[in-house]
C-alpha cells in the first residue's frame, strides 16, 4: 500500500528553527507538496519538490531525496502564526495525491 | 480576487436528513475535487471532476454523490448522513491533475450530524 509518515506533533520556541520530516512509500513519484493548515481552515500551498535538493522560499525551505523517499520542511525564525498543521502529500505514478495526516506544530513564546 | 468559495461554512443536520454542500470557483480550473477531512487525519479524496468527466474513488460510499453543472460550480450531496459523516468537507481546484499543479482549497464546510 501507499503510505506517508509524519510526526503527529512537534513543539518549538518562537524565533527558533524546526524541521518537520516526511517519509513516503508510493507507487511511483511525480512530486511532493507541503501544505499549511491552520485549525479549522483549509490547507494552503507552501512548496513543491520534484527534483532532489533544497527549495528555499523566505523563512520556509523544503528538501527532497527521492532515493530515500524522504522530505523535510524547514521553518526558520518561527513566529506564533506558524502554529498550524503541516501536511505532506506525494503525487504518485497515476497522478493521485497521497496525503499524510499532518504534523501539528505548536509554537511557544 | 480569484478564489474557491464553499457554502455553507457550517451545516448542522439530523441523522438521515439529506445535505447539499456547494463549491464555486472563479479560477477557471479544469479540475474540481471533494475531500473529507476528520480531525487530525489526512484529507480523504471522495471524487473529482476533470471538466465533465466524473472520477469516483473506489472506497467512496454510495451515500455521497456529486454534480458539476458547469465549470464554476460543483455540489456534494450526502443522501443519508450518518454520525460517521461528521467532518470538514473541502473543495479544491487545480488547472490539471499532473505534475506541479497546485490545489487551491476553499475554506471548507463543517458538517455536524445530530
Amino acid at each position: 500500500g501507499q503510505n506517508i509518515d509524519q510526526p503527529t506533533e512537534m513543539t518549538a520556541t518562537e524565533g527558533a528553527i524546526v524541521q518537520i520530516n516526511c517519509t513516503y512509500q508510493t507507487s511511483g513519484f511525480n512530486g511532493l507538496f507541503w501544505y499549511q493548515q491552520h485549525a479549522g481552515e483549509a490547507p494552503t500551498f507552501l512548496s513543491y519538490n520534484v527534483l532532489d535538493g533544497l527549495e528555499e522560499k523566505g523563512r520556509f525551505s523544503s528538501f527532497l531525496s527521492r532515493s530515500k523517499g524522504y522530505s523535510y520542511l524547514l521553518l526558520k525564525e518561527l513566529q506564533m502564526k506558524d502554529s498550524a498543521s503541516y501536511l505532506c502529500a506525494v503525487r504518485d505514478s497515476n497522478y493521485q495525491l497521497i496525503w499524510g495526516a499532518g504534523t501539528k506544530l505548536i509554537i511557544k513564546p | 480576487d480569484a478564489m474557491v468559495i464553499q457554502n455553507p461554512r457550517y451545516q448542522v443536520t439530523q441523522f438521515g436528513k439529506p445535505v447539499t454542500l456547494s463549491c464555486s470557483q472563479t479560477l477557471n480550473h479544469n479540475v474540481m475535487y471533494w475531500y473529507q477531512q476528520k480531525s487530525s487525519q489526512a484529507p480523504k479524496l471522495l471524487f473529482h471532476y476533470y471538466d465533465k468527466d466524473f472520477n469516483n474513488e473506489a472506497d467512496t460510499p454510495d451515500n455521497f454523490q456529486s454534480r458539476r453543472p458547469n465549470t464554476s460550480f460543483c455540489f456534494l450531496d450526502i443522501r443519508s448522513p450518518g454520525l460517521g459523516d461528521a467532518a470538514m468537507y473541502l473543495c479544491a481546484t487545480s488547472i490539471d491533475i499532473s505534475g506541479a499543479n497546485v490545489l487551491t482549497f476553499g475554506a471548507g464546510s463543517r458538517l455536524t450530524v445530530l
Side-chain angles (χ1 to χ4, degrees):
Chain A
Q2 309 205 83
N3 195 50
I4 294 190
D5 286 316
Q6 307 179 231
T8 304
E9 187 174 295
M10 298 181 71
T11 302
T13 305
E14 190 176 16
I17 299 173
V18 72
Q19 177 175 311
I20 302 174
N21 295 324
C22 168
T23 56
Y24 62 90
Q25 293 170 312
T26 57
S27 302
F29 178 85
N30 277 298
L32 183 144
F33 297 81
W34 283 96
Y35 281 79
Q36 180 191 60
Q37 186 175 27
H38 285 101
E41 298 181 13
T44 55
F45 169 73
L46 287 178
S47 69
Y48 172 74
N49 295 70
V50 68
L51 299 176
D52 291 350
L54 190 68
E55 294 280 342
E56 295 187 79
K57 252 191 201 180
R59 293 189 300 116
F60 293 7
S61 303
S62 56
F63 172 83
L64 174 67
S65 168
R66 288 171 295 171
S67 63
K68 295 182 180 177
Y70 168 70
S71 173
Y72 67 73
L73 181 69
L74 192 70
L75 291 76
K76 302 176 185 175
E77 300 168 17
L78 285 169
Q79 301 175 9
M80 298 303 292
K81 68 178 182 179
D82 297 329
S83 292
S85 286
Y86 292 85
L87 299 162
C88 175
V90 172
R91 203 181 288 279
D92 69 10
S93 57
N94 293 318
Y95 297 106
Q96 292 206 357
L97 263 182
I98 312 302
W99 292 85
T103 298
K104 182 178 180 181
L105 177 63
I106 300 168
I107 310 295
K108 294 187 174 179
Chain B
D1 285 342
M3 52 176 48
V4 180
I5 298 172
Q6 291 188 242
N7 282 299
R9 291 292 312 278
Y10 302 92
Q11 175 74 59
V12 180
T13 190
Q14 292 181 331
F15 184 94
K17 188 172 180 182
V19 161
T20 295
L21 307 177
S22 75
C23 177
S24 65
Q25 57 131 342
T26 59
L27 298 162
N28 204 31
H29 283 175
N30 294 312
V31 192
M32 295 187 79
Y33 309 80
W34 280 105
Y35 282 91
Q36 179 194 63
Q37 188 180 29
K38 297 185 178 180
S39 182
S40 301
Q41 295 185 19
K44 179 182 183 300
L45 182 64
L46 297 174
F47 21 60
H48 76 273
Y49 279 91
Y50 194 118
D51 286 335
K52 294 181 181 178
D53 292 335
F54 177 69
N55 298 272
N56 197 31
E57 294 301 298
D59 58 354
T60 298
D62 292 340
N63 197 27
F64 292 86
Q65 301 286 317
S66 185
R67 298 168 280 139
R68 188 179 186 185
N70 54 53
T71 303
S72 302
F73 284 88
C74 197
F75 299 93
L76 170 63
D77 300 307
I78 308 176
R79 293 196 290 193
S80 182
L83 297 179
D85 297 327
M88 175 76 91
Y89 290 88
L90 296 167
C91 174
T93 71
S94 66
I95 297 173
D96 204 322
I97 62 170
S98 61
N101 281 283
V102 172
L103 268 63
T104 302
F105 285 86
S109 293
R110 182 167 293 283
L111 178 66
T112 301
V113 182
L114 301 176

